[in-house]
Structure formats: C-alpha cells, structure tokens
Amino acid sequence: MKFQEEIKSWKKFPNVDTLGYYHCLGNYIQLNEFEDEAEFKKAVTNPSTEKNRFSTYVHENQHYIDQVSTYWGILNIFRIFRAFNAAILGNEYDFHYYRDLILTLQRDYYLEYYTEQYNLIEGSYADRWKFQITVGLRFDFNGNVSEDKPIPFVTFSSSDGRKISRVPLSVASLLETTATYAEYNFLLNEALKLKSPHKETQGEALSSKIEKKLYHPELTLYSAAVHLTSVYLKIKDPILGYKVSSVFAKIALNIPNSLFNDVLIPKEFKASEIWVKNSNNLLRNNDRGFLFYLLLTNYSETYGKIDGHEIDVKKILTASNLPDEETIEGIILEEISKFDEEILIEKNSFNRQIIDRIFFGNQFRETTGLGQQKPSIDLSEFVRDRPYLIFASTLFDYEDLELRPIRDKVIRQEDISREEWFRLYTYCEQRIDGFNEICGI
C-alpha cells in the first residue's frame, strides 16, 4: 500500500481534512471514515442513517465528477494519460509530457510560495473578514520574474484590518467550492426530511459547520471563491452562497480555451494600464481563477445581486460576452473530438481509459448543464469507468507484480485488475516525479 505514502498535496484534489480525498493520477477515492466496503455499502443503501460519513463520499465523488465532466478536467485526463503512455513506452522525446502534467497540476494550486499565512484570526457571520483583489507575478524556471505571467490573489484581513492570509484565486478554490456545495446540499436535504424540532437543530448545526469552514484562517485558499461570490452578489445565506459560487465555478471550469480572449474585461479594470495588461495576460494564459472573478464582476455590474435561488446561466454568459450554453457545449465536443483524433494518431496505450471517462463526463455535463445547475438523473448506464474506493482497513499487495504483462494488457486495451492498475499507476508516477527532479540540471 505504498501509494498512500507522502502524497504531494497538488496531486490530490483539494482536501481540507483527513476524512478523505480524490487522487486524480491514481483515480481513487480515499474514505478514511469507513472501515471497509461492507460498511460503505450499508451507507449507500440508506445514506440518511450515515449522512455525516456519507457526505464525505459525496464531496470526494464531486471531485471525480469535475475531473471527468468539465472541459478543464478533460484536458487534464489527456495530459495524465499522455504522460503515462510516455512512461510505459519509454520514448525520451515524449518525456516533456511529464513536465507539462506536473506544472499544470501545480499551477492549479499555487500552494508553494504563493500562499502566505499571516495571522491566525478566525471570523464569523457576525465578525466578517475583509478582502482585497491584487495581482502578482510568477517566476520562471530560472527564478526570473515573468512579466507576462501574472497571478490573481485574494488578501484576507480581519474586521479591524489585521492581515490573515494571501492566497491565489486558483482552480483549487473552484474545485473545493463545487465539492463543498455538493456535500452541504446533501446534508441540507437530509435535515429537511426531519420533523421539528430536529429539522431546525440539524439546520443550525450545518450553518455552524459552514461558518467554521468559511472563516477558518488556514482554509482561505479553498473558501476564497465563496467569499467573493457572497460579497459581489450580495448573498447573506451561506448555503445559497455556496450554490451560486458552485455554478460560477463550474462555468469557469467549462469555458474552452478558445473563448478566453472574448471575455469582457470590466470598465473599472480599463482605468489602469497595469490592470489592462495583467487582465489580457491572465486571459491569454487561460487563468480560470481570474475567469471566475470576471464572470462574477461582469454579472454584478450587469444584473446586480442574485434574486432568489434560481441561477440563470444565460445571464452569466451574456454578461461576460460569451456565447450561449448550447454553442459552448458544441465547441467543447468539437475540441474533444480533435483531442481524440490526436490520441488515436499517437496510438496512446490508454485510449480506452480516456474514452470511457470522457464518455460518461460528456453525458453528465450535457444533462446537468455547464454550471451543473440542472437536477442530475440516473446516468449509470453510461458509466464505463469508476474511481477505486479505498477504505480505512483496505490492504492489497501490488508492489511485486511484474510490470511488463500489465503494460502489454493495457496496450492491447484489455481490462486490468485493481492491483494491476496500482502497480502501473505508481510506476508511472515514480517515473514522472523522477524526471521532474532532473529537469533543467
């Protein structure tokens, strides 16, 4: 079970505790609250009896959904399996796929260096934090400032002006927003099933849980998107704040790269030459955290606050000068088709895994919408690939399996067992990490 040892934080989808996580390279969900599969299956049969533990699964499964169904996630799937293919075939001219994958995953978090913690000051609904949007600059491989690679930051301060943290407005915050909303929405619906006074008691407990997460000084990297949404759209209800932020986040994750330069830059940015330059560079670099911020700002300037609980995706897109949902969906499918052709031409050994994940992801996105704003229906008939579930007591041996027969089975597009998958994926991961260490030396 060596795959669990010292996992880099940027290899896992955002996780703010030790209850569970989704690992995008290994394609597995770790569920530490469930002892084994039997316990988990009982919870699946009747989630209401195990709602707190099951909510962790809802959260982590949403990370998997975002990986396979969003345009951003699909690009990552191609990156992952291009790197894996290079690892098992050993063509050194394809090793650049390793570096492309690692840099992309690290940029989705900007955890190292770019995240700064100042004072551990908690806030609350009654004592709200302040924040400021700023832009900094990234550094290149040689340590030089990259003028054309800005990075958006959110700096949080207490109500009396003491600085708490400076965090990037990153993809990590968008992912945590969608997953946390899925978790909290599940818990809210469970509470609403109860009769008074239990319904009110559960509602208050959920509100307190949200408050602690929103105003925890060490979790600002993950809560930044929700804070921005609530302030810009004048939302006071924390659940609604997560719901609206989740829709904006999903749209930001789904906008194709080819549309970034069409996004409207707000008038207030055009008053500053530096902001104009940075805005253009951020869009040119397909910065999805900044895109999220623009979607919010443009909506706020055009329509003001969100009225009620219904979110109009058409208004969100229109306010930022983007085409309608149907047109964007068509562009996504067209670009995926081009990637599919490239993979076929390259004779990627993992073509089957790529197709299976994206097939389900496409069905999910087309059914629930760009913002996952529509109710989900049973799509089990479209599932060809699922993440592995690892529980607290899960143990299996894979380290001593011979690699070549597994590789040959993958090349022939044959099924492999869980143990064979972990032997293969951990080998690929080791190769990728090792190459990354020597790049530039």
Side-chain angles (χ1 to χ4, degrees):
M1 298 289 284
K2 291 182 179 179
F3 67 88
Q4 295 174 317
E5 298 174 3
E6 298 181 0
I7 302 171
K8 297 289 186 181
S9 53
W10 45 265
K11 290 181 180 178
K12 299 181 287 186
F13 272 47
N15 65 306
V16 296
D17 48 44
T18 59
L19 303 180
Y21 61 84
Y22 168 64
H23 194 292
C24 61
L25 300 186
N27 191 39
Y28 68 87
I29 294 175
Q30 179 78 39
L31 295 171
N32 294 323
E33 292 180 291
F34 290 96
E35 186 65 20
D36 52 32
E37 186 177 6
E39 263 194 4
F40 178 72
K41 285 184 175 180
K42 287 182 181 178
V44 172
T45 303
N46 190 0
S48 297
T49 61
E50 292 283 357
K51 57 180 177 290
N52 290 319
R53 288 200 295 175
F54 193 74
S55 69
T56 300
Y57 168 73
V58 173
H59 183 114
E60 302 307 332
N61 190 61
Q62 180 63 45
H63 284 321
Y64 171 75
I65 291 294
D66 289 343
Q67 168 81 354
V68 300
S69 69
T70 66
Y71 177 84
W72 162 86
I74 290 168
L75 292 185
N76 271 359
I77 288 174
F78 282 108
R79 288 190 182 97
I80 289 168
F81 286 115
R82 273 180 162 146
F84 281 17
N85 189 58
I88 67 170
L89 296 184
N91 183 351
E92 62 186 14
Y93 289 98
D94 288 336
F95 288 176
H96 61 92
Y97 289 129
Y98 299 168
R99 189 71 176 151
D100 178 48
L101 172 62
I102 285 183
L103 288 177
T104 298
L105 294 177
Q106 289 179 331
R107 287 168 187 155
D108 287 338
Y109 285 75
Y110 290 120
L111 280 176
E112 299 170 3
Y113 180 78
Y114 294 106
T115 297
E116 293 186 353
Q117 194 76 48
Y118 305 115
N119 296 297
L120 296 176
I121 304 171
E122 294 185 6
S124 66
Y125 295 147
D127 185 20
R128 296 178 184 270
W129 289 339
K130 301 175 183 178
F131 65 78
Q132 181 182 11
I133 305 296
T134 60
V135 173
L137 295 172
R138 285 152 54 184
F139 299 92
D140 66 18
F141 186 71
N142 295 314
N144 298 313
V145 171
S146 295
E147 295 283 349
D148 60 343
K149 293 181 180 178
I151 175 173
F153 289 111
V154 184
T155 301
F156 287 94
S157 303
S158 62
S159 58
D160 60 2
R162 288 177 292 168
K163 290 177 72 174
I164 297 170
S165 65
R166 184 201 71 174
V167 297
L169 182 54
S170 64
V171 167
S173 185
L174 306 188
L175 295 172
E176 188 60 18
T177 298
T178 63
T180 302
Y181 171 65
E183 175 187 357
Y184 289 168
N185 188 52
F186 165 75
L187 290 172
L188 176 63
N189 288 330
E190 289 300 314
L192 293 175
K193 293 177 182 178
L194 303 174
K195 295 180 180 179
S196 297
H198 303 293
K199 178 169 61 177
E200 289 76 15
T201 301
Q202 289 292 317
E204 290 174 5
L206 178 57
S207 179
S208 178
K209 182 177 182 179
I210 297 173
E211 183 179 27
K212 289 178 181 178
K213 186 167 187 175
L214 278 175
Y215 290 99
H216 193 299
E218 294 180 316
L219 302 182
T220 50
L221 175 71
Y222 306 111
S223 63
V226 183
H227 282 286
L228 265 64
T229 302
S230 298
V231 170
Y232 275 88
L233 302 183
K234 301 177 177 62
I235 299 171
K236 294 183 179 179
D237 178 358
I239 282 285
L240 180 59
Y242 264 106
K243 178 180 180 180
V244 175
S245 184
S246 178
V247 173
F248 275 85
K250 287 285 288 199
I251 293 173
L253 292 170
N254 268 317
I255 297 300
N257 292 347
S258 58
L259 293 178
F260 268 69
N261 287 332
D262 296 334
V263 177
L264 179 68
I265 298 177
K267 293 179 182 178
E268 62 180 272
F269 291 11
K270 296 179 180 179
S272 165
E273 185 177 334
I274 294 177
W275 263 105
V276 170
K277 178 183 176 181
N278 284 332
S279 297
N280 287 330
N281 281 328
L282 284 163
L283 290 174
R284 191 176 298 116
N285 296 334
N286 303 320
D287 191 295
R288 295 187 182 274
F290 185 66
L291 174 60
F292 172 84
Y293 178 57
L294 291 186
L295 293 174
L296 277 179
T297 305
N298 289 329
Y299 186 96
S300 176
E301 290 186 356
T302 306
Y303 300 107
K305 64 181 182 180
I306 290 283
D307 291 319
H309 285 68
E310 294 304 316
I311 306 158
D312 192 332
V313 169
K314 182 178 180 180
K315 286 184 177 180
I316 296 173
L317 298 172
T318 302
S320 286
N321 194 40
L322 288 165
D324 60 34
E325 192 170 1
E326 183 178 353
T327 301
I328 292 175
E329 179 62 32
I331 295 173
I332 292 174
L333 293 176
E334 184 178 344
E335 293 198 15
I336 289 174
S337 178
K338 291 178 181 178
F339 286 126
D340 285 339
E341 290 179 11
E342 290 176 7
I343 290 297
L344 286 172
I345 292 172
E346 294 169 9
K347 296 181 180 179
N348 190 291
S349 306
F350 295 89
N351 184 53
R352 176 179 174 182
Q353 287 90 332
I354 295 171
I355 291 174
D356 285 352
R357 293 181 195 184
I358 295 176
F359 174 74
F360 168 71
N362 284 342
Q363 297 297 325
F364 185 90
R365 187 185 60 258
E366 291 172 21
T367 302
T368 61
L370 286 182
Q372 201 175 327
Q373 74 277 12
K374 302 173 187 176
S376 181
I377 60 173
D378 183 10
L379 296 173
S380 56
E381 64 177 297
F382 300 107
V383 177
R384 298 173 177 173
D385 172 272
R386 296 181 186 274
Y388 293 99
L389 299 181
I390 307 299
F391 307 102
S393 66
T394 300
L395 288 173
F396 58 90
D397 295 324
Y398 66 90
E399 291 96 338
D400 295 331
L401 292 178
E402 189 178 348
L403 186 65
R404 181 175 290 277
I406 303 172
R407 187 200 67 171
D408 292 344
K409 288 173 73 173
V410 169
I411 292 173
R412 294 194 299 267
Q413 308 291 315
E414 296 177 6
D415 288 333
I416 59 175
S417 68
R418 177 187 62 178
E419 290 74 14
E420 289 173 324
W421 164 251
F422 275 85
R423 174 69 177 96
L424 185 64
Y425 124 70
T426 53
Y427 167 79
C428 293
E429 186 177 40
Q430 185 179 31
R431 295 275 293 174
I432 293 167
D433 288 346
F435 178 79
N436 185 58
E437 291 294 327
I438 60 91
C439 276
I441 296 176

